[in-house]
PDB file of all heavy atoms in Angstrom:
ATOM      1  N   MET A 637      -3.204  13.986  15.517  1.00 43.00           N
ATOM      2  CA  MET A 637      -3.996  12.847  15.953  1.00 43.00           C
ATOM      3  C   MET A 637      -3.557  12.440  17.367  1.00 43.00           C
ATOM      4  O   MET A 637      -2.370  12.354  17.639  1.00 43.00           O
ATOM      5  CB  MET A 637      -3.755  11.656  15.021  1.00 43.00           C
ATOM      6  CG  MET A 637      -4.030  11.976  13.573  1.00 43.00           C
ATOM      7  SD  MET A 637      -5.786  12.081  13.238  1.00 43.00           S
ATOM      8  CE  MET A 637      -5.773  12.756  11.585  1.00 43.00           C
ATOM      9  N   GLU A 654      -1.869  -7.034   3.558  1.00 95.00           N
ATOM     10  CA  GLU A 654      -2.172  -7.878   2.397  1.00 95.00           C
ATOM     11  C   GLU A 654      -1.041  -8.890   2.141  1.00 95.00           C
ATOM     12  O   GLU A 654      -1.251 -10.084   2.127  1.00 95.00           O
ATOM     13  CB  GLU A 654      -2.367  -6.973   1.173  1.00 95.00           C
ATOM     14  CG  GLU A 654      -2.881  -7.679  -0.059  1.00 95.00           C
ATOM     15  CD  GLU A 654      -4.390  -7.889  -0.034  1.00 95.00           C
ATOM     16  OE1 GLU A 654      -5.084  -7.128   0.665  1.00 95.00           O
ATOM     17  OE2 GLU A 654      -4.855  -8.821  -0.706  1.00 95.00           O
ATOM     18  N   HIS A 656       1.956  -8.875   3.913  1.00 97.00           N
ATOM     19  CA  HIS A 656       2.692  -9.055   5.169  1.00 97.00           C
ATOM     20  C   HIS A 656       4.152  -8.591   5.089  1.00 97.00           C
ATOM     21  O   HIS A 656       4.939  -8.886   5.985  1.00 97.00           O
ATOM     22  CB  HIS A 656       2.617 -10.516   5.660  1.00 97.00           C
ATOM     23  CG  HIS A 656       1.199 -11.000   5.762  1.00 97.00           C
ATOM     24  ND1 HIS A 656       0.317 -10.518   6.696  1.00 97.00           N
ATOM     25  CD2 HIS A 656       0.504 -11.889   5.018  1.00 97.00           C
ATOM     26  CE1 HIS A 656      -0.865 -11.101   6.530  1.00 97.00           C
ATOM     27  NE2 HIS A 656      -0.773 -11.927   5.515  1.00 97.00           N
ATOM     28  N   PHE A 660       8.705   0.414   4.104  1.00 94.00           N
ATOM     29  CA  PHE A 660       9.179   1.689   4.609  1.00 94.00           C
ATOM     30  C   PHE A 660       8.054   2.715   4.469  1.00 94.00           C
ATOM     31  O   PHE A 660       7.503   2.901   3.384  1.00 94.00           O
ATOM     32  CB  PHE A 660      10.401   2.095   3.781  1.00 94.00           C
ATOM     33  CG  PHE A 660      11.289   3.112   4.435  1.00 94.00           C
ATOM     34  CD1 PHE A 660      11.437   3.161   5.811  1.00 94.00           C
ATOM     35  CD2 PHE A 660      12.002   4.016   3.658  1.00 94.00           C
ATOM     36  CE1 PHE A 660      12.267   4.094   6.423  1.00 94.00           C
ATOM     37  CE2 PHE A 660      12.830   4.956   4.258  1.00 94.00           C
ATOM     38  CZ  PHE A 660      12.961   4.994   5.637  1.00 94.00           C
ATOM     39  N   TYR A 679      -5.652   2.833   4.246  1.00 95.00           N
ATOM     40  CA  TYR A 679      -6.588   3.919   4.581  1.00 95.00           C
ATOM     41  C   TYR A 679      -5.897   5.273   4.389  1.00 95.00           C
ATOM     42  O   TYR A 679      -4.733   5.433   4.754  1.00 95.00           O
ATOM     43  CB  TYR A 679      -7.018   3.747   6.053  1.00 95.00           C
ATOM     44  CG  TYR A 679      -7.520   5.010   6.707  1.00 95.00           C
ATOM     45  CD1 TYR A 679      -8.831   5.438   6.504  1.00 95.00           C
ATOM     46  CD2 TYR A 679      -6.682   5.783   7.512  1.00 95.00           C
ATOM     47  CE1 TYR A 679      -9.286   6.607   7.093  1.00 95.00           C
ATOM     48  CE2 TYR A 679      -7.133   6.952   8.107  1.00 95.00           C
ATOM     49  CZ  TYR A 679      -8.434   7.361   7.887  1.00 95.00           C
ATOM     50  OH  TYR A 679      -8.873   8.523   8.459  1.00 95.00           O
ATOM     51  N   ARG A 726      -9.961  13.043  17.946  1.00 96.00           N
ATOM     52  CA  ARG A 726      -9.075  12.054  17.362  1.00 96.00           C
ATOM     53  C   ARG A 726      -8.807  12.311  15.881  1.00 96.00           C
ATOM     54  O   ARG A 726      -7.698  12.121  15.393  1.00 96.00           O
ATOM     55  CB  ARG A 726      -9.678  10.657  17.555  1.00 96.00           C
ATOM     56  CG  ARG A 726      -8.760   9.506  17.192  1.00 96.00           C
ATOM     57  CD  ARG A 726      -9.360   8.199  17.669  1.00 96.00           C
ATOM     58  NE  ARG A 726     -10.636   7.932  17.051  1.00 96.00           N
ATOM     59  CZ  ARG A 726     -10.775   7.431  15.829  1.00 96.00           C
ATOM     60  NH1 ARG A 726      -9.708   7.136  15.111  1.00 96.00           N
ATOM     61  NH2 ARG A 726     -11.970   7.214  15.325  1.00 96.00           N
ATOM     62  N   THR A 727      -9.867  12.717  15.150  1.00 96.00           N
ATOM     63  CA  THR A 727      -9.729  12.836  13.691  1.00 96.00           C
ATOM     64  C   THR A 727      -9.504  14.268  13.222  1.00 96.00           C
ATOM     65  O   THR A 727      -9.110  14.485  12.078  1.00 96.00           O
ATOM     66  CB  THR A 727     -11.008  12.325  12.977  1.00 96.00           C
ATOM     67  OG1 THR A 727     -12.108  13.133  13.393  1.00 96.00           O
ATOM     68  CG2 THR A 727     -11.278  10.871  13.313  1.00 96.00           C
ATOM     69  N   GLY A 728      -9.792  15.247  14.077  1.00 96.00           N
ATOM     70  CA  GLY A 728      -9.695  16.637  13.634  1.00 96.00           C
ATOM     71  C   GLY A 728     -10.857  17.055  12.743  1.00 96.00           C
ATOM     72  O   GLY A 728     -10.839  18.134  12.156  1.00 96.00           O
ATOM     73  N   THR A 776     -26.584  24.656  -9.118  1.00 97.00           N
ATOM     74  CA  THR A 776     -26.787  26.074  -9.467  1.00 97.00           C
ATOM     75  C   THR A 776     -25.541  26.712 -10.068  1.00 97.00           C
ATOM     76  O   THR A 776     -25.629  27.773 -10.676  1.00 97.00           O
ATOM     77  CB  THR A 776     -27.190  26.897  -8.227  1.00 97.00           C
ATOM     78  OG1 THR A 776     -26.101  26.830  -7.290  1.00 97.00           O
ATOM     79  CG2 THR A 776     -28.453  26.353  -7.573  1.00 97.00           C
ATOM     80  N   ARG A 785     -23.652  23.602 -18.398  1.00 93.00           N
ATOM     81  CA  ARG A 785     -23.739  22.426 -17.520  1.00 93.00           C
ATOM     82  C   ARG A 785     -23.379  22.784 -16.074  1.00 93.00           C
ATOM     83  O   ARG A 785     -22.526  23.633 -15.826  1.00 93.00           O
ATOM     84  CB  ARG A 785     -22.765  21.343 -18.004  1.00 93.00           C
ATOM     85  CG  ARG A 785     -22.923  20.950 -19.473  1.00 93.00           C
ATOM     86  CD  ARG A 785     -24.023  19.922 -19.678  1.00 93.00           C
ATOM     87  NE  ARG A 785     -23.778  18.652 -19.017  1.00 93.00           N
ATOM     88  CZ  ARG A 785     -23.111  17.627 -19.580  1.00 93.00           C
ATOM     89  NH1 ARG A 785     -22.571  17.755 -20.775  1.00 93.00           N
ATOM     90  NH2 ARG A 785     -22.972  16.485 -18.925  1.00 93.00           N
ATOM     91  N   PRO A 786     -24.016  22.086 -15.111  1.00 97.00           N
ATOM     92  CA  PRO A 786     -23.649  22.299 -13.708  1.00 97.00           C
ATOM     93  C   PRO A 786     -22.198  21.878 -13.424  1.00 97.00           C
ATOM     94  O   PRO A 786     -21.593  21.164 -14.220  1.00 97.00           O
ATOM     95  CB  PRO A 786     -24.602  21.400 -12.936  1.00 97.00           C
ATOM     96  CG  PRO A 786     -25.698  21.053 -13.875  1.00 97.00           C
ATOM     97  CD  PRO A 786     -25.111  21.122 -15.251  1.00 97.00           C
ATOM     98  N   GLU A 803     -28.316   8.160  15.494  1.00 97.00           N
ATOM     99  CA  GLU A 803     -29.276   9.202  15.126  1.00 97.00           C
ATOM    100  C   GLU A 803     -30.559   8.618  14.558  1.00 97.00           C
ATOM    101  O   GLU A 803     -31.403   9.347  14.038  1.00 97.00           O
ATOM    102  CB  GLU A 803     -28.634  10.188  14.134  1.00 97.00           C
ATOM    103  CG  GLU A 803     -27.483  10.965  14.741  1.00 97.00           C
ATOM    104  CD  GLU A 803     -26.911  12.008  13.779  1.00 97.00           C
ATOM    105  OE1 GLU A 803     -27.602  12.393  12.821  1.00 97.00           O
ATOM    106  OE2 GLU A 803     -25.760  12.422  13.995  1.00 97.00           O
ATOM    107  N   ILE A 805     -33.813   7.376  12.952  1.00 96.00           N
ATOM    108  CA  ILE A 805     -34.546   7.703  11.730  1.00 96.00           C
ATOM    109  C   ILE A 805     -33.989   8.973  11.075  1.00 96.00           C
ATOM    110  O   ILE A 805     -34.046   9.137   9.854  1.00 96.00           O
ATOM    111  CB  ILE A 805     -36.066   7.860  12.040  1.00 96.00           C
ATOM    112  CG1 ILE A 805     -36.892   7.930  10.760  1.00 96.00           C
ATOM    113  CG2 ILE A 805     -36.335   9.080  12.898  1.00 96.00           C
ATOM    114  CD1 ILE A 805     -36.967   6.618  10.019  1.00 96.00           C
ATOM    115  N   GLN A 810     -31.531  10.536   5.579  1.00 97.00           N
ATOM    116  CA  GLN A 810     -30.498  11.199   4.762  1.00 97.00           C
ATOM    117  C   GLN A 810     -30.321  10.487   3.420  1.00 97.00           C
ATOM    118  O   GLN A 810     -29.968  11.107   2.422  1.00 97.00           O
ATOM    119  CB  GLN A 810     -29.147  11.244   5.496  1.00 97.00           C
ATOM    120  CG  GLN A 810     -29.191  11.884   6.875  1.00 97.00           C
ATOM    121  CD  GLN A 810     -29.777  13.280   6.867  1.00 97.00           C
ATOM    122  OE1 GLN A 810     -29.538  14.063   5.947  1.00 97.00           O
ATOM    123  NE2 GLN A 810     -30.562  13.604   7.884  1.00 97.00           N
ATOM    124  N   ASP A 823     -31.081  15.755 -13.392  1.00 97.00           N
ATOM    125  CA  ASP A 823     -32.051  16.358 -14.326  1.00 97.00           C
ATOM    126  C   ASP A 823     -31.516  17.659 -14.925  1.00 97.00           C
ATOM    127  O   ASP A 823     -31.868  18.029 -16.037  1.00 97.00           O
ATOM    128  CB  ASP A 823     -33.379  16.644 -13.605  1.00 97.00           C
ATOM    129  CG  ASP A 823     -34.134  15.358 -13.297  1.00 97.00           C
ATOM    130  OD1 ASP A 823     -33.768  14.307 -13.874  1.00 97.00           O
ATOM    131  OD2 ASP A 823     -35.062  15.396 -12.469  1.00 97.00           O
ATOM    132  N   THR A 836     -17.042   0.748   1.531  1.00 96.00           N
ATOM    133  CA  THR A 836     -18.265   1.493   1.216  1.00 96.00           C
ATOM    134  C   THR A 836     -19.427   0.527   1.399  1.00 96.00           C
ATOM    135  O   THR A 836     -19.611  -0.386   0.601  1.00 96.00           O
ATOM    136  CB  THR A 836     -18.226   2.047  -0.222  1.00 96.00           C
ATOM    137  OG1 THR A 836     -17.110   2.946  -0.333  1.00 96.00           O
ATOM    138  CG2 THR A 836     -19.501   2.810  -0.547  1.00 96.00           C
ATOM    139  N   PHE A 879     -16.265 -12.121  -3.154  1.00 91.00           N
ATOM    140  CA  PHE A 879     -17.577 -11.484  -2.984  1.00 91.00           C
ATOM    141  C   PHE A 879     -17.424 -10.099  -2.352  1.00 91.00           C
ATOM    142  O   PHE A 879     -16.669  -9.912  -1.408  1.00 91.00           O
ATOM    143  CB  PHE A 879     -18.427 -12.390  -2.083  1.00 91.00           C
ATOM    144  CG  PHE A 879     -19.823 -11.921  -1.864  1.00 91.00           C
ATOM    145  CD1 PHE A 879     -20.713 -11.830  -2.919  1.00 91.00           C
ATOM    146  CD2 PHE A 879     -20.257 -11.567  -0.591  1.00 91.00           C
ATOM    147  CE1 PHE A 879     -22.027 -11.396  -2.713  1.00 91.00           C
ATOM    148  CE2 PHE A 879     -21.563 -11.140  -0.385  1.00 91.00           C
ATOM    149  CZ  PHE A 879     -22.442 -11.046  -1.445  1.00 91.00           C
ATOM    150  N   ILE A 891     -19.938  -1.550 -10.942  1.00 97.00           N
ATOM    151  CA  ILE A 891     -19.062  -0.381 -11.057  1.00 97.00           C
ATOM    152  C   ILE A 891     -18.494  -0.336 -12.483  1.00 97.00           C
ATOM    153  O   ILE A 891     -18.528  -1.335 -13.200  1.00 97.00           O
ATOM    154  CB  ILE A 891     -17.914  -0.394 -10.022  1.00 97.00           C
ATOM    155  CG1 ILE A 891     -17.039  -1.632 -10.192  1.00 97.00           C
ATOM    156  CG2 ILE A 891     -18.439  -0.323  -8.614  1.00 97.00           C
ATOM    157  CD1 ILE A 891     -15.806  -1.601  -9.332  1.00 97.00           C
TER     158      ILE A 891
END
Side-chain angles (χ1 to χ4, degrees):
M637 304 286 170
E654 188 81 24
H656 306 291
F660 200 32
Y679 157 81
R726 189 169 61 80
T727 61
T776 62
R785 306 277 297 271
E803 295 184 20
I805 191 71
Q810 305 305 322
D823 288 346
T836 299
F879 183 64
I891 60 172

